[in-house]
Amino acid sequence: VQFLQQLIDTIPSPVYYKDPRCAYLGCNTAFESYLGIPRAKILGRTDADLLPPDIAALTREKDLFLLDHRGIQSYQVKFPHADRTTREVLVKKATYHDTRGKIAGFIGVFLDITDRIRAEEQVRESEQRFRAVVQDQTDMIFRYLPNRTVLFANDAFLAYFGKRSEDVTGYIFRLPVHPDDQAGVEAHFASLSPTHPVGTTEFRSLHEGGQVRWQQWINRAFFDELKPSFFEMTVG
């Protein structure tokens, strides 16, 4: 028993286990720190004794469902930390059984994903700011994957090519490059590298009615390790 306690105490994530009555049988030091309650005051008690009523009610509902259905359970919840902040927590639980195969209780672990959630929110906010800025540009701008699937196209780009966002975003779009210039354009993109990710290319563009227009694009490749993850093109 001492060995098992020392074992779970080395786990950095909060870990606990309960009996079929949903009362705590044990926990590790990380769980004590997370709740801000010593182990002696946790053992034998239920969440109704330790947590705010709304969290205790949700936890009991999840516990009872797990005991009725046995197996593994996972859900996300806003959990009050001992430092008086609210954390985004991914809770994972699994039932365990006695020698007769009956449920003897369940084990739970907290995975604090607050930093990940905040990082994702920052990325979304940054993307929204990027879109707001480029939508106001009169220059044509669009992003696409190496297979030419479009990630984003601003209004100027869509208007120039007579497209709608829903017609190109998520789909493969090929610029109407003149056949005689196609090889040069492909060679230009192949020359972009992590050390030289930006370049300029000029080519003839074919349009309705047989019109030919010269275009100059400033191109930037964004790399994931050594391979390009996506490209961004802007009219020069």
Side-chain angles (χ1 to χ4, degrees):
V1 172
Q2 290 177 346
F3 170 76
L4 291 177
Q5 186 61 54
Q6 290 177 349
L7 179 64
I8 67 171
D9 280 341
T10 62
I11 300 174
S13 296
V15 177
Y16 63 89
Y17 48 102
K18 297 179 180 179
D19 63 21
R21 298 180 299 108
C22 302
Y24 285 96
L25 293 176
C27 65
N28 66 352
T29 53
F31 188 78
E32 291 181 83
S33 299
Y34 214 84
L35 267 61
I37 302 173
R39 188 175 306 167
K41 294 185 177 181
I42 295 175
L43 304 187
R45 290 175 170 80
T46 66
D47 289 324
D49 303 318
L50 306 172
L51 303 178
D54 56 336
I55 299 296
L58 173 64
T59 302
R60 180 168 178 78
E61 177 186 341
K62 297 290 187 180
D63 289 352
L64 294 178
F65 183 88
L66 177 64
L67 291 171
D68 286 341
H69 295 80
R70 73 174 59 197
I72 298 175
Q73 183 184 74
S74 179
Y75 61 92
Q76 187 175 329
V77 64
K78 295 183 182 297
F79 198 88
H81 191 273
D83 63 6
R84 299 184 183 278
T85 62
T86 299
R87 306 288 183 87
E88 292 285 349
V89 173
L90 182 64
V91 183
K92 291 195 173 185
K93 305 175 187 175
T95 53
Y96 62 90
H97 310 85
D98 60 21
T99 56
R100 294 172 295 175
K102 295 180 61 177
I103 293 178
F106 55 91
I107 303 170
V109 60
F110 286 0
L111 300 176
D112 193 318
I113 58 174
T114 306
D115 291 341
R116 190 189 79 187
I117 296 296
R118 289 174 180 170
E120 291 173 351
E121 290 174 350
Q122 291 174 353
V123 170
R124 284 194 295 268
E125 291 173 359
S126 177
E127 182 69 16
Q128 289 172 354
R129 287 194 297 270
F130 163 79
R131 290 175 180 270
V133 169
V134 299
Q135 285 294 14
D136 294 336
Q137 300 293 318
T138 56
D139 293 336
M140 293 181 282
I141 302 173
F142 82 115
R143 286 181 171 184
Y144 63 96
L145 297 173
N147 67 357
R148 300 187 183 277
T149 299
V150 176
L151 298 174
F152 170 80
N154 72 344
D155 289 342
F157 178 93
L158 297 172
Y160 185 84
F161 289 101
K163 301 292 184 179
R164 300 177 302 169
S165 179
E166 54 266 35
D167 295 331
V168 296
T169 303
Y171 297 92
I172 292 177
F173 178 80
R174 294 181 179 274
L175 290 170
V177 180
H178 191 286
D180 293 342
D181 298 338
Q182 186 66 50
V185 172
E186 292 178 357
H188 163 75
F189 280 99
S191 70
L192 300 179
S193 66
T195 54
H196 296 90
V198 181
T200 301
T201 183
E202 295 181 356
F203 57 84
R204 287 166 290 178
S205 177
L206 299 176
H207 295 266
E208 293 183 4
Q211 288 185 323
V212 177
R213 300 177 184 176
W214 278 96
Q215 295 180 350
Q216 182 187 72
W217 289 84
I218 300 172
N219 311 304
R220 173 180 287 274
F222 295 83
F223 288 85
D224 181 5
E225 295 181 351
L226 297 179
K227 294 182 179 180
S229 55
F230 67 91
F231 298 95
E232 181 176 286
M233 296 182 67
T234 305
V235 168

